[in-house]
């Protein structure tokens, strides 16, 4: 190899564009050269850290080959001295933990000094610029190299034609050599390529490359001769194929059709009966002609047959006759679902507009709400009311764009996307198509499925939906799309813009009782083989299950508990131990065990430093207890536990600052917190929590701990707090109020600006609760804290009230 250490110092000046100190990335194989763009997969921890260092600074990194591929953790002795300075162009993190990076080689360089080896190599380098060599000898070598590279390409070497075009247009001798070298298969690969990399003289490098290309040309000539010999020996097989084709032509002249002919005729008849659009039929007949001309056992024939099967099976013009009768639709919705008055009203408006306009084009409905409130089942009711077919596709966890748009028809096993599959399954081009869990779509290197849905859900362009597998437009304008989601935030804005959101609130206790009595109990009795003669639920028995065995916005868990009781009664009836069972509130425990929830307040008594807040999750509204305590410490310290998100941590800090700023009003010394540790905890620490609406709850708990005034056990609250103590509005009011009602709270504190949301609360819930609307945190404390403080513990030398 060329000894680069003996080069003239005038050639070793450092380019100011490239830093002198760079992170080093050891490469197993191959050796990378300047003037090339190349991908690289990085998996070793040290290498990933070096790549991160390059990305975070000037994007330059030094690539050097290892002497031995098998070494997983190389040292400086295991790494060559000369490598390539490269610029990081693009980085992609793969699911298996490796990183795919796109690099562009810039210049040769050598290692002057190792500055660090952990957590990654950092070295000081010297660039190795090439001397200008444009003599007649170099020009001759360039022409010879280009000519021999053309011969290599023409002899069938697996080199893309555009590479040849690129090489022919290169005028710089050094760049010419560096561009050709990566296309060659050298053995041993690393040693020979490293030798070329360390050859700084352009003339010497071209001479070596000229010799390598000459040898490669000779090897390819020998391979071509061997291939010609084999093809000649295969002549008998080809002769047999030609004779079979001639026999087929003779059979056609005599009117004798073989099985292949019958298959073609069958497909031709299917295409005619499918009543496709003209352009689709033309495409199908073209594919049929291809199938007819290719050999029967050709692998591509399977792909063509499957494609024709899909084209002829789709309902291009087959529709289900629709019955748009508004009173009938309302009757169906009322039969299948209890409550949901506003939801039903919006759906009936939607259907009425369709009836009057006689157009299928309209907004895409998105049913948003917690699980178990009837989003999917009401979609089935809409299909039944319209007399249409119903198809449901779950999008939860879908991460591949091909799941929506289909696979390219380039391999056996390719299929259309889920939308086209659903249309084929229903056999109708105007079904009610429910896309369930649209908020749980994923995205990774295989594409963005939510973007693929934009065309399908846009009424202005889905009349020509393009599936990658079909490669012909399919009209989705007659399809009634309905989507469902638990949360709206994860849905991309562009996709959300194409949908009209209908919110499904949680059920009240009275609604749950009616649903259980009229829907769930009869359904579970039937599914478990018993009748009303065997099992009767009283209203107080069902209410006990609702209050003490479930705590949810929907009725899914309620149905499970009713099913458990039905199964146990079915066992008693089948074994002959009983004939009839009546379930009252006193009979629940033997069937369902100990109660799971305490109906009533979150706290059993007025507690110091424990406030009840209201939260909204994807499962509906719920109550949460926020605890605060104070401990003696040498300085102020704030500890937050309960797996809180960043927004919730900021609310806790704002609450602490507010309480400290109100020292005079709350009657405690200004320096009280200077020697205190403040610990705020939100139970259920395994569950992540975030959001600003717990701000006033944290401030109340902290103020209670400081003043030793207990918090009323029957008060629940929600609202965002500012440093000045202002209470800001929040969302999810209805769900939070229903959660307070379920928990048996008596007083609810809400921000003043949320007073307008009270009209959405059912009247029976309003009658059971006392609402207070507040503007400032001082009002919250006045309503939530009891008047008399309790004696202070010994944790503070200066307790509240002694200032």
């Amino acid at each position: 190899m060329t000894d680069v250490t003996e080069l003239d110092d005038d050639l070793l000046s450092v380019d100011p564009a490239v830093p002198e100190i760079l992170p080093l990335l050891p490469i197993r194989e191959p050796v990378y050269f300047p003037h090339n763009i190349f991908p690289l997969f990085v998996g070793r921890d040290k290498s990933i850290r070096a790549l991160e260092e390059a990305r975070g600074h000037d994007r330059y990194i030094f690539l050097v080959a290892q002497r031995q591929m098998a070494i997983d953790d190389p040292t400086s002795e295991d790494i060559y001295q000369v490598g390539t300075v490269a610029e990081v162009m693009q980085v992609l993190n793969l699911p298996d933990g490796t990183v795919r990076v796109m690099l562009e080689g810039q210049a040769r360089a050598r290692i002057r000094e190792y500055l660090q080896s952990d957590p990654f190599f950092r070295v000081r380098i010297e660039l190795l610029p090439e001397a200008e060599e444009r003599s007649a000898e170099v020009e001759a070598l360039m022409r010879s190299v280009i000519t021999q590279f053309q011969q290599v390409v023409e002899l069938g070497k697996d080199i893309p034609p555009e590479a040849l075009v690129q090489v022919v247009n290169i005028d710089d001798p050094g760049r010419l050599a560096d561009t050709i070298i990566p296309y060659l298969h050298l053995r041993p690969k690393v040693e020979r390529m490293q030798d070329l990399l360390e050859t700084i003289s352009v003339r010497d490098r071209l001479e070596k490359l000229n010799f390598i290309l000459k040898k490669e040309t000779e090897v390819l000539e020998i391979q071509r001769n061997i291939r010609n010999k084999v093809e000649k020996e295969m002549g008998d097989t080809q002769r047999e194929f030609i004779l079979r084709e001639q026999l087929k032509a003779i059979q056609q002249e005599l009117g004798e059709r073989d099985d292949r002919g019958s298959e073609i005729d069958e497909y031709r008849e299917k295409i005619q009966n499918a009543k496709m659009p003209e352009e689709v039929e033309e495409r199908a007949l073209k594919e049929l002609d291809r199938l007819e001309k290719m050999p029967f056992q050709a692998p591509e024939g399977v792909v063509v047959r499957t494609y024709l099967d899909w084209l002829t099976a789709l309902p291009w013009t087959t529709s289900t006759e629709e019955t748009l009768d508004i009173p009938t639709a309302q009757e169906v919705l009322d039969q299948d679902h209890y409550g949901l008055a506003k939801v039903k009203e919006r759906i009936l408006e939607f259907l009425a507009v369709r009836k009057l306009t006689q157009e299928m084009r309209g907004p895409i409905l998105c049913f948003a709400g917690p699980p178990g409130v009837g989003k999917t089942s009401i979609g089935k009711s809409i299909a039944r009311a319209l007399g249409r077919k119903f198809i449901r596709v779950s999008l939860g966890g879908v991460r591949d764009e091909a799941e929506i748009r289909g696979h390219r028809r380039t391999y056996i096993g390719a299929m259309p996307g889920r939308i086209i599959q659903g249309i084929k399954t229903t056999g109708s081009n105007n079904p009610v198509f429910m896309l369930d869990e649209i908020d749980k779509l994923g995205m990774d290197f295989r594409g963005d499925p939510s973007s693929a849905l934009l065309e399908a859900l846009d009424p202005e362009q889905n009349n020509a939906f393009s599936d990658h597998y079909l490669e012909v437009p399919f009209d989705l304008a007659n399809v009634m799309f309905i989507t469902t989601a638990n949360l709206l935030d994860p849905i991309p804005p562009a996709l959300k813009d194409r949908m009209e959101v209908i919110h499904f609130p949680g059920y009240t206790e009275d609604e749950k009782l009616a649903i259980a009595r009229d829907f769930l109990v009869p359904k579970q009795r039937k599914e478990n083989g018993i009748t009303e003669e065997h099992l009767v639920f009283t209203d107080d028995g069902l209410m006990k299950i609702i209050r003490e065995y479930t705590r949810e916005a929907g009725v899914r868990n309620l149905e499970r508990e009713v099913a458990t009781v039905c199964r146990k009664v079915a066992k008693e009836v089948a074994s002959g131990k009983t004939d009839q069972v009546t379930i009252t509130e006193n009979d629940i425990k033997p069937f369902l065990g100990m109660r799971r929830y305490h109906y009533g307040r979150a706290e059993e008594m007025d507690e110091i430093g424990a406030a009840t807040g209201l939260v909204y999750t994807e499962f509906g509204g719920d109550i949460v207890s926020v605890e605060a305590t104070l401990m003696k410490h040498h300085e102020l310290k704030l500890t937050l536990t309960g797996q809180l998100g960043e927004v919730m941590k900021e609310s806790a800090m704002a609450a602490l600052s507010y309480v400290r700023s109100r020292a005079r009003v709350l009657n405690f010394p200004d320096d009280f917190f200077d020697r205190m540790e403040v610990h705020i905890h939100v139970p259920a620490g395994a569950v992540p929590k975030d959001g600003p609406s717990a701000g006033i709850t944290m401030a109340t708990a902290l103020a209670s701990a400081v003043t030793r005034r207990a918090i009323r056990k029957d008060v629940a609250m929600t609202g965002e707090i500012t440093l000045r103590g202002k209470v800001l509005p929040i969302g999810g009011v209805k769900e939070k109020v229903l959660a307070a009602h379920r928990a048996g709270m008596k007083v609810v504190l809400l921000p003043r600006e949320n007073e307008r949301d009270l009209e959405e609360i059912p009247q029976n819930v309003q009658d059971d609760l006392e609402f207070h609307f507040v503007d400032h945190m001082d009002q919250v404390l006045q309503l939530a804290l009891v008047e008399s403080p309790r004696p202070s513990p010994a944790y503070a030398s200066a307790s509240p009230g002694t200032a």
Side-chain angles (χ1 to χ4, degrees):
M1 296 185 183
T2 303
D3 185 3
V4 298
T5 59
E6 298 178 0
L7 290 175
D8 188 354
D9 288 341
D10 293 336
L11 297 178
L12 301 180
S13 60
V14 177
D15 188 340
V18 178
E20 187 180 6
I21 298 174
L22 289 176
L24 182 144
L25 182 61
I27 305 297
R28 295 181 191 268
E29 73 167 356
V31 177
Y32 295 106
F33 285 76
H35 315 303
N36 288 281
I37 296 176
F38 46 85
L40 181 63
F41 289 88
V42 181
R44 290 183 288 192
D45 184 60
K46 266 192 175 182
S47 301
I48 292 176
R49 290 178 179 270
L51 183 60
E52 291 174 348
E53 172 72 11
R55 288 181 65 192
H57 292 80
D58 45 47
R59 303 183 69 85
Y60 285 98
I61 195 167
F62 191 40
L63 308 179
V64 188
Q66 293 181 198
R67 298 181 186 274
Q68 298 292 332
M69 280 182 55
I71 298 176
D72 191 61
D73 187 14
T75 63
S76 57
E77 288 76 15
D78 303 318
I79 301 173
Y80 286 102
Q81 289 295 307
V82 177
T84 300
V85 176
E87 182 179 2
V88 179
M89 300 175 63
Q90 186 183 52
V91 177
L92 179 63
N93 295 317
L94 300 180
D96 59 356
T98 60
V99 178
R100 184 182 186 272
V101 58
M102 189 66 68
L103 301 165
E104 182 178 7
Q106 299 292 329
R108 287 172 168 80
R110 69 175 175 185
I111 300 172
R112 289 180 54 193
E113 178 185 1
Y114 279 88
L115 301 178
Q116 73 175 45
S117 60
D118 191 72
F120 58 87
F121 288 110
R122 192 191 300 270
V123 295
R124 189 186 307 278
I125 65 165
E126 285 183 331
L127 295 185
L128 303 176
E130 299 171 356
E132 287 290 336
E133 299 183 42
R134 297 302 299 233
S135 62
E137 183 181 2
V138 170
E139 291 290 342
L141 285 171
M142 288 179 63
R143 294 183 184 181
S144 177
V145 165
I146 293 174
T147 301
Q148 294 196 67
F149 186 72
Q150 288 175 324
Q151 292 178 355
V152 168
V153 175
E154 291 169 358
L155 287 171
K157 183 73 173 177
D158 53 345
I159 299 173
E162 56 267 25
L164 179 59
V165 175
Q166 178 188 5
V167 166
V168 170
N169 292 314
I170 295 176
D171 185 55
D172 181 75
R175 182 183 292 269
L176 175 68
D178 290 345
T179 303
I180 292 177
I181 291 170
Y183 290 106
L184 303 179
H185 294 166
L186 307 178
R187 292 290 183 272
K189 190 171 187 177
V190 174
E191 287 81 359
R192 296 188 65 184
M193 294 187 78
Q194 184 68 27
D195 176 53
L196 290 169
L197 182 68
E198 295 182 5
T199 303
I200 307 302
S201 169
V202 175
R203 183 183 61 80
D204 294 343
R205 200 184 318 152
L206 288 172
E207 282 186 349
K208 292 180 180 181
L209 184 57
N210 192 49
F211 175 81
I212 292 171
L213 286 171
K214 182 175 179 61
K215 186 174 181 180
E216 184 73 10
T217 304
E218 294 174 354
V219 172
L220 290 173
E221 285 280 0
I222 296 172
Q223 287 181 344
R224 186 173 67 174
N225 293 336
I226 295 173
R227 186 168 59 250
N228 291 338
K229 183 177 180 181
V230 172
E231 290 175 354
K232 184 177 180 181
E233 293 177 354
M234 292 178 61
D236 291 339
T237 304
Q238 294 176 346
R239 178 171 172 272
E240 181 181 351
F241 169 74
I242 294 172
L243 289 175
R244 289 188 179 277
E245 291 297 314
Q246 291 175 345
L247 177 61
K248 188 195 320 182
I250 294 171
Q251 287 176 335
Q252 290 177 351
E253 291 293 329
L254 296 176
E256 300 176 0
R257 302 301 305 270
D258 58 359
D259 294 338
R260 179 67 181 282
S262 301
E263 180 192 37
I264 300 299
D265 289 341
E266 184 180 345
Y267 273 121
R268 201 176 302 276
E269 183 179 357
K270 285 183 178 180
I271 293 173
Q272 293 174 353
N273 295 335
K275 298 180 181 179
M276 307 173 179
E278 183 177 348
E279 58 179 318
V280 180
E281 184 174 347
E282 183 180 343
R283 178 63 180 269
L285 292 174
K286 183 178 179 181
E287 291 295 322
L288 185 61
D289 290 341
R290 287 184 60 225
L291 179 64
E292 190 174 13
K293 293 175 183 177
M294 67 179 60
F296 183 76
Q297 307 218 348
E300 192 180 354
V302 178
V303 177
V304 177
R305 289 184 185 89
T306 305
Y307 179 64
L308 291 174
D309 288 337
W310 274 101
L311 285 183
T312 55
L314 286 174
W316 298 96
T317 57
T318 304
S319 302
T320 304
E321 186 176 353
E322 187 174 74
T323 56
L324 261 176
D325 183 68
I326 303 304
T328 302
Q330 184 166 6
E331 183 180 347
V332 170
L333 292 175
D334 289 338
Q335 287 176 358
D336 294 348
H337 298 84
Y338 182 86
L340 303 176
K342 288 192 175 182
V343 174
K344 293 177 183 177
E345 181 182 357
R346 179 61 188 92
I347 292 171
L348 292 174
E349 292 171 358
F350 179 79
L351 299 179
V353 171
R354 287 209 168 191
K355 179 178 182 179
L356 294 176
T357 60
Q358 297 295 321
E359 288 186 6
M360 305 312 296
R361 185 172 300 179
I364 307 299
L365 299 182
C366 176
F367 297 160
V373 294
K375 301 187 298 295
T376 303
S377 60
I378 209 167
K380 296 179 182 178
S381 300
I382 292 173
R384 188 161 74 90
L386 294 175
R388 294 196 192 189
K389 295 184 177 181
F390 178 80
I391 181 70
R392 172 187 169 274
V393 172
S394 177
L395 300 179
V398 172
R399 311 180 71 85
D400 190 351
E401 182 183 346
E403 293 282 338
I404 307 299
R405 284 192 174 274
H407 303 82
R408 297 288 182 182
R409 223 168 5 99
T410 54
Y411 56 88
I412 297 174
M415 295 180 64
R418 293 196 180 190
I419 293 178
I420 295 299
Q421 291 181 39
I423 297 294
K424 179 191 173 187
T425 301
T426 60
S428 169
N429 66 1
N430 66 336
V432 174
F433 203 120
M434 176 159 281
L435 298 170
D436 222 353
E437 310 290 355
I438 197 170
D439 58 326
K440 295 176 179 60
L441 278 173
M443 181 178 69
D444 59 13
F445 65 95
R446 291 167 290 188
D448 182 4
S450 62
S451 298
L453 279 174
L454 293 177
E455 181 185 0
L457 298 183
D458 192 338
E460 298 298 327
Q461 57 180 325
N462 65 3
N463 60 338
F465 176 70
S466 176
D467 186 276
H468 290 160
Y469 181 85
L470 296 183
E471 295 181 346
V472 290
F474 189 90
D475 188 359
L476 297 178
N478 295 328
V479 179
M480 183 177 179
F481 284 104
I482 299 175
T483 65
T484 72
N486 295 134
L487 295 174
L488 293 177
D489 292 341
I491 304 176
L495 184 57
K496 192 189 306 181
D497 182 60
R498 285 162 169 78
M499 301 183 294
E500 178 178 340
V501 178
I502 298 179
H503 291 278
F504 278 59
Y507 293 115
T508 64
E509 285 185 347
D510 292 340
E511 289 174 336
K512 287 184 179 181
L513 179 61
I515 292 170
R517 183 178 56 239
D518 300 336
F519 293 93
L520 303 183
V521 171
K523 175 184 175 184
Q524 290 302 321
R525 276 200 298 239
K526 181 179 178 181
E527 290 187 358
N528 289 278
I530 56 179
T531 65
E532 193 172 355
E533 297 177 356
H534 300 124
L535 174 63
V536 175
F537 278 91
T538 63
D539 285 356
D540 61 348
L542 289 173
M543 187 60 75
K544 188 176 181 68
I545 296 177
I546 293 169
R547 289 179 170 177
E548 298 185 1
Y549 291 87
T550 65
R551 182 167 287 175
E552 56 179 341
V555 292
R556 197 166 287 165
N557 286 326
L558 175 58
E559 183 175 6
R560 292 191 184 105
E561 301 300 335
V562 170
T564 301
V565 175
C566 290
R567 287 196 303 271
K568 293 183 181 297
V569 172
K571 178 184 174 184
E572 297 291 324
V573 172
S575 60
K577 295 182 179 180
T578 185
D579 294 327
Q580 186 181 34
V581 177
T582 300
I583 303 296
T584 66
E585 63 176 338
N586 297 323
D587 301 317
I588 299 298
K589 184 176 178 181
F591 288 96
L592 298 180
M594 296 296 295
R595 65 181 181 181
R596 297 183 182 89
Y597 303 99
H598 290 276
Y599 176 73
R601 294 161 288 280
E603 303 296 336
E604 294 297 325
M605 57 183 293
D606 297 346
E607 293 278 359
I608 294 176
T612 302
L614 300 174
V615 296
Y616 179 59
T617 70
E618 62 179 311
F619 304 107
D622 201 358
I623 63 171
V624 62
S625 180
V626 176
E627 301 174 351
T629 187
L630 304 175
M631 295 165 286
K632 192 171 181 181
H633 200 261
H634 62 276
E635 61 181 0
L636 173 60
K637 179 181 179 183
L638 176 62
T639 302
L640 304 173
T641 54
Q643 201 170 346
L644 309 183
E646 291 299 323
V647 177
M648 214 162 180
K649 291 178 181 177
E650 292 173 2
S651 296
M653 289 186 244
L656 176 60
S657 297
Y658 161 76
V659 173
R660 294 186 68 189
S661 70
R662 308 296 285 176
R664 302 283 181 180
V665 176
L666 296 176
N667 195 24
F668 65 88
D670 292 340
D671 61 349
F672 178 76
F673 283 100
D674 292 347
R675 49 189 181 277
M676 284 293 168
E677 177 180 356
V678 180
H679 189 167
I680 297 178
H681 177 65
V682 183
V687 180
K689 313 168 191 71
D690 203 6
S693 61
I696 68 171
T697 314
M698 292 179 171
T700 303
L702 187 55
S704 170
V706 171
T707 63
R708 305 298 298 166
R709 291 167 61 187
I711 301 171
R712 291 174 55 186
K713 62 184 177 181
D714 58 353
V715 173
M717 62 192 74
T718 179
E720 184 177 358
I721 188 176
T722 69
L723 290 176
R724 294 173 293 169
K726 286 191 174 183
V727 180
L728 303 181
I730 42 79
V733 172
K734 182 175 182 180
E735 288 76 8
K736 293 177 179 179
V737 170
L738 291 179
H741 185 257
R742 285 197 301 269
M745 308 301 288
K746 297 301 180 185
V747 180
V748 175
L749 307 184
L750 295 173
R752 176 76 61 187
E753 293 187 31
N754 287 118
E755 188 172 0
R756 61 181 181 272
D757 297 318
L758 200 62
E759 62 182 23
E760 298 182 2
I761 310 300
Q763 189 59 46
N764 65 319
V765 176
Q766 294 188 41
D767 295 339
D768 292 342
L769 294 173
E770 179 184 342
F771 292 92
H772 291 278
F773 299 96
V774 296
D775 299 307
H776 197 274
M777 192 63 211
D778 290 350
Q779 298 169 268
V780 177
L781 299 181
Q782 184 178 359
L783 293 166
L785 300 182
V786 301
E787 292 297 329
S788 302
R790 295 179 185 174
S792 303
Y795 61 72
S797 57
S799 59
T802 62

